[in-house]
Amino acid sequence: MTKQLMMVLFSAVLLMSSMQFVQAAADLEANTPVISAIKTSMQTRHVQLQSHYSAGAIGLTEDGMIAVKDAGAVPLSQRGALAGLVKDENADRVRLYKEIAVANGHPEWQGEIQSTFAGRWIDKAQAGWFYQRAGAWVKK
Amino acid sequence: MKHWIIGLGVVASVALPACVTINIYFPAAAAEKAADKIIEEVWQLKQDQEESSSTPAETPAKPVAQ
């Protein structure tokens, strides 16, 4: 009787464990409405940011964000707008990393998702764009 | 004896899932894949992504020789 109970208990535990493993092995969820909205917002902004990357006014940071690298590369009248774009972009990026972590049931993954993105942004950046390495700006 | 077995069962049912939870690793490969997809969309690196290439209706021009 107790042996049977033990077997049932043990198999239930095994089943639960294997289910968790399957969940962990699957692809990351990145298609929630919130994530889509962030992507659209970033896509629209990128049209404005693109020329600034090429001009070296902005660059990609080591932590998956963007930063003003050389404000002198844009006319004085546009510097305020550029700073605003950078600020909004970084806010979207933080939200994106957070939402992916939350959508996958692991809010604690936010930091790791951010560092994964950091490497991928730089990897996919166009030649001539700037990125940070060990605190210094490097031209790709 | 009976107490011992029940105790073991309780310990197992608590400890085993706990081990599994701790062992849940960050899926680095899946994260890279997801990141690549998102970056490609945001930077529009793949032109043929959404819009189906509007192939012009090919009307084979019949060369009228002669």
Side-chain angles (χ1 to χ4, degrees), chain A residues 10 17 26-27 32 49 56 61 67-68 76 81 96-97 102 109 113-114 118-120 131 137 140:
Chain A
F10 192 68
S17 329
D27 276 1
T32 68
L49 288 175
T61 66
V68 175
L76 195 61
L96 176 71
Y97 305 146
V102 170
W109 284 353
I113 288 170
Q114 180 164 348
R120 303 313 295 159
Y131 65 94
W137 287 108
K140 193 173 168 182

Side-chain angles (χ1 to χ4, degrees), chain A:
Chain A
M1 178 61 190
T2 8
K3 206 173 174 185
Q4 276 179 321
L5 189 79
M6 269 283 288
M7 287 292 281
V8 170
L9 239 167
F10 192 68
S11 39
V13 167
L14 274 184
L15 194 76
M16 273 165 58
S17 329
S18 53
M19 270 160 62
Q20 274 179 296
F21 266 121
V22 167
Q23 212 176 16
D27 276 1
L28 275 195
E29 170 65 69
N31 272 322
T32 68
V34 180
I35 294 171
S36 294
I38 301 169
K39 278 196 293 191
T40 309
S41 158
M42 290 172 75
Q43 209 176 50
T44 311
R45 190 180 304 105
H46 184 64
V47 178
Q48 293 169 274
L49 288 175
Q50 203 154 19
S51 61
H52 296 305
Y53 284 116
S54 312
I58 57 171
L60 303 161
T61 66
E62 278 173 291
D63 59 353
M65 299 288 153
I66 66 168
V68 175
K69 182 204 145 259
D70 179 17
V74 292
L76 195 61
S77 58
Q78 284 178 32
R79 283 177 204 170
L82 178 64
L85 280 174
V86 170
K87 191 167 160 262
D88 293 346
E89 173 71 8
N90 284 337
D92 268 355
R93 286 184 177 214
V94 170
R95 279 208 304 141
L96 176 71
Y97 305 146
K98 188 178 167 208
E99 286 302 329
I100 295 171
V102 170
N104 288 278
H106 288 275
E108 76 278 8
W109 284 353
Q110 186 181 341
E112 280 167 295
I113 288 170
Q114 180 164 348
S115 43
T116 303
F117 265 87
R120 303 313 295 159
W121 286 119
I122 292 170
D123 208 66
K124 290 191 172 287
Q126 284 175 22
W129 291 12
F130 284 86
Y131 65 94
Q132 264 178 345
R133 191 171 55 201
W137 287 108
V138 181
K139 192 172 188 174
K140 193 173 168 182

